[in-house]
Amino acid sequence: MVNPLSKRQIDYNLASRDGWQAFASHREIVTELLSVGARPGNSRLCILGAGNSNDVDLAHLLRSHREIHLVDLDADALVRGVARQGFAENPAVKCHGGIDVTGMLDTLAAKSPQCEIRPADVDAFIAEPFRQVGSALPGPFDVVASTCLLSQLIGAVSDTLGQGHPRFLEVVQAIRAGHLHLLVQLVSPGGISVLTTDIVSSDSHPPLRSVAEETLFDVVAQLIADRNFFHGVNPAVLLSLFRSDPLLEREVASVEASRPWRWNLGPRVYAVCALTARRRGIGASQGDSECESLSGKCCCCKP
Ligand SMILES: C[S@@+](CC[C@H](N)C(=O)[O-])C[C@H]1O[C@@H](n2cnc3c(N)ncnc32)[C@H](O)[C@@H]1O
């Protein structure tokens, strides 16, 4: 029995299944980001939230990586996405359908604005993703990506507990920490994690569709300053977690935020950015994690 949260994701994927053309410029940027840290013929890439795979060019990525592992709760979306790109029979592309990256979606789907959330529930949102997904996947991988998935995970908290629940924020923070921990722990020592996340859409800022490319950075920075962004995905806060969260601080050697770009999903346009983190190598000493884009390239560190 599919829970209503999963059903919603499956419906979204059906609605965006023909997005290949519209996603072109977004796909080019995401594909380039996932080629960082590649060792052609050797490295293994894992993509969480791959869905229809309209945002990744598999042929290009297979020139960079030996294997590509696609992970999503929606098994059918993975199959049709891989088939569309002509890789249904290619053993280097492996689909892991039916995997919930939170490990908690059934539990979350049963919650309501009136329900009690105990400290143990909050802890489970942090620990379950790696405990369950780590053992379900053949990791670690050289590069692990999460493609515009975080906002969906946080959206599930809004849809169930609701923003008025006294522990809403705590659960959002726990889901987010659990996801970042999962990303980093699936990466082999010295490897790369890439979190792409949508920040805000043209629904709450219609001019996002048409602002000049060269002003996008300033527009997004202003929207963030005005608190016009999706819950839990402020890039500056995400970046700060790499310094304040004990596991991330311990495991991550460096982290860099990209400039924002636009993702055209048809009915709406999203501003998206990426955080690319390198996991410490074996025996590497623990220095400060830092944003390498403080020069002003990063969308959260406006000069
Ligand atoms: C915004 S879409 C990403 C776009 C997708 N890469 C594409 O090109 O179609 C987010 C994806 O995350 C998946 N997803 C959402 N929640 C999930 C969860 N808890 N576990 C696994 N996958 C999830 C959805 O099924 C969807 O495919």
Side-chain angles (χ1 to χ4, degrees), residues 5-6 8-10 12-13 16-17 23 26 47-56 71-74 77-78 98-105 147-153 156 198 263 265:
L5 296 174
S6 301
R8 177 167 303 184
Q9 295 299 324
I10 290 167
Y12 285 159
N13 285 337
S16 63
R17 61 190 292 177
F23 282 31
H26 174 60
I47 304 175
L48 307 177
N52 298 312
S53 295
N54 279 329
D55 54 2
V56 286
V71 181
D72 206 285
L73 55 78
D74 186 349
L78 293 181
I99 292 188
D100 162 25
V101 298
T102 68
M104 294 290 285
L105 221 49
T147 50
C148 293
L149 169 56
L150 183 60
S151 60
Q152 303 301 311
L153 305 183
D198 35 322
W263 171 25
L265 201 74

Side-chain angles (χ1 to χ4, degrees), residues 12-80:
Y12 285 159
N13 285 337
L14 282 171
S16 63
R17 61 190 292 177
D18 296 324
W20 180 258
Q21 298 287 356
F23 282 31
S25 60
H26 174 60
R27 179 169 58 249
E28 199 177 318
I29 295 169
V30 175
T31 300
E32 204 53 49
L33 284 163
L34 304 196
S35 304
V36 172
R39 286 175 288 112
N42 263 312
S43 51
R44 297 163 78 232
L45 166 68
C46 174
I47 304 175
L48 307 177
N52 298 312
S53 295
N54 279 329
D55 54 2
V56 286
D57 181 335
L58 296 174
H60 186 292
L61 288 171
L62 273 179
R63 290 195 285 277
S64 305
H65 299 285
R66 173 167 59 89
E67 279 178 16
I68 303 176
H69 294 256
L70 304 173
V71 181
D72 206 285
L73 55 78
D74 186 349
D76 293 342
L78 293 181
V79 170
R80 68 175 171 255

Side-chain angles (χ1 to χ4, degrees), residues 112-132:
S112 71
Q114 292 77 34
C115 76
E116 186 194 357
I117 297 283
R118 293 158 303 156
D121 298 325
V122 176
D123 292 346
F125 283 115
I126 301 174
E128 286 304 305
F130 185 64
R131 198 185 69 77
Q132 294 190 29

